[in-house]
Amino acid sequence: GEGRRGIAALCALLLGFTVAVLALAGPSWRKGDQPLLQGEAPLVVVLDMSGAMLANDLPPSRLLQARAKLATLLRERSGGQVGLVVFAADAYTVAPLTRDAANVALFLDSLSPDVMPVDGSNPASGVEQAMRLLRQAGFTDGDILLIANQGDMRARGAAADAKRAGYRVSALGLGTPAGAAYRSGQGAISHTRLDAASLRALADAGGGRYETLSAGTGDLAALGVLDPSAGGQGAAAGKAAVWRDDG
């Protein structure tokens, strides 16, 4: 009797082991629909934070208009990761790429030329810093949006480099063609104006689009930054028939 019980226990153990191996092997004999991931392009906003942001050709000031536009972008953008870089003489990361747009919005009220160590205008450094953020996050494509009043030759070169790396660089123009005077941090009076031609050339070099800042969301929609599914990593939306794991 004890011998039979020992054999039965061994058989039960072997049977359980066999069933476990078969289950772990993942046998499949039927297919089912599985949704594919929708590609979501990450976005890094590069914002001018030079003394020229204090000009009032966009009342009450370019700075307040830019803050409001950024708040609209963060509120209306439907998903995807967002980061924020500011620049003057050099560029600095305000918020790394995150899916929590509300977390980026927390920094908007503190943005001012006063927080920049050295005044100046170096949009190329902002584009380059945005590229670094995208690379560090592992993205091989994505969008960079420059919000500024002009783009020089170095900035166009940085935009072209970004395009070769797989990123699109668009530009949102701040200011008016007539421009306005402003007082720099050193107390000097300077004049600034919107150079739309240089920003358009920058966007062309970066494979993106150019728009002038306007009321509402039309400018953001035209730039394609409100819908992250318009591009980015991942497969197109849809379904695919895949084998079900019935283990």
Side-chain angles (χ1 to χ4, degrees):
E2 291 181 0
R4 292 194 187 93
R5 284 196 295 271
I7 294 174
L10 179 61
C11 290
L13 180 62
L14 290 174
L15 178 61
F17 178 76
T18 303
V19 171
V21 169
L22 288 174
L24 291 172
S28 300
W29 55 83
R30 54 180 177 155
K31 286 186 175 182
D33 288 338
Q34 177 173 309
L36 296 174
L37 287 177
Q38 175 75 43
E40 290 186 335
L43 170 67
V44 179
V45 179
V46 179
L47 177 63
D48 186 357
M49 202 47 60
S50 66
M53 292 294 283
L54 301 177
N56 62 359
D57 51 347
L58 295 179
S61 71
R62 291 181 182 179
L63 176 62
L64 294 180
Q65 289 281 5
R67 283 183 187 172
K69 183 60 65 173
L70 262 177
T72 300
L73 169 60
L74 295 172
R75 183 178 65 251
E76 299 295 330
R77 183 172 163 85
S78 55
Q81 296 194 41
V82 183
L84 177 60
V85 169
V86 296
F87 71 89
D90 205 352
Y92 302 90
T93 299
V94 175
L97 283 162
T98 175
R99 288 189 175 275
D100 188 359
N103 187 52
V104 181
L106 291 175
F107 296 99
L108 296 185
D109 289 342
S110 62
L111 295 180
S112 168
D114 295 338
V115 305
M116 304 303 288
V118 182
D119 195 13
S121 181
N122 187 3
S125 67
V127 175
E128 290 163 355
Q129 181 66 10
M131 289 174 60
R132 282 191 286 271
L133 288 183
L134 289 165
R135 284 195 181 116
Q136 289 167 5
F139 288 104
T140 57
D141 67 352
D143 287 304
I144 298 172
L145 175 61
L146 175 68
I147 304 179
N149 71 292
Q150 59 89 26
D152 55 21
M153 186 176 296
R154 279 195 60 216
R156 289 196 296 274
D161 290 342
K163 181 182 179 181
R164 284 190 288 271
Y167 310 121
R168 292 168 297 278
V169 183
S170 297
L172 182 63
L174 275 178
T176 63
Y182 69 95
R183 186 181 296 275
S184 69
Q186 291 74 34
I189 300 296
S190 301
H191 190 275
T192 179
R193 67 179 185 85
L194 171 64
D195 186 355
S198 67
L199 289 173
R200 190 172 284 108
L202 181 147
D204 289 341
R209 308 170 187 174
Y210 169 77
E211 290 290 328
T212 301
L213 186 142
S214 60
T217 60
D219 48 0
L220 298 175
L223 290 169
V225 294
L226 293 181
D227 182 12
S229 65
Q233 294 179 332
K239 293 183 178 180
V242 297
W243 289 103
R244 290 182 180 269
D245 183 347
D246 288 300

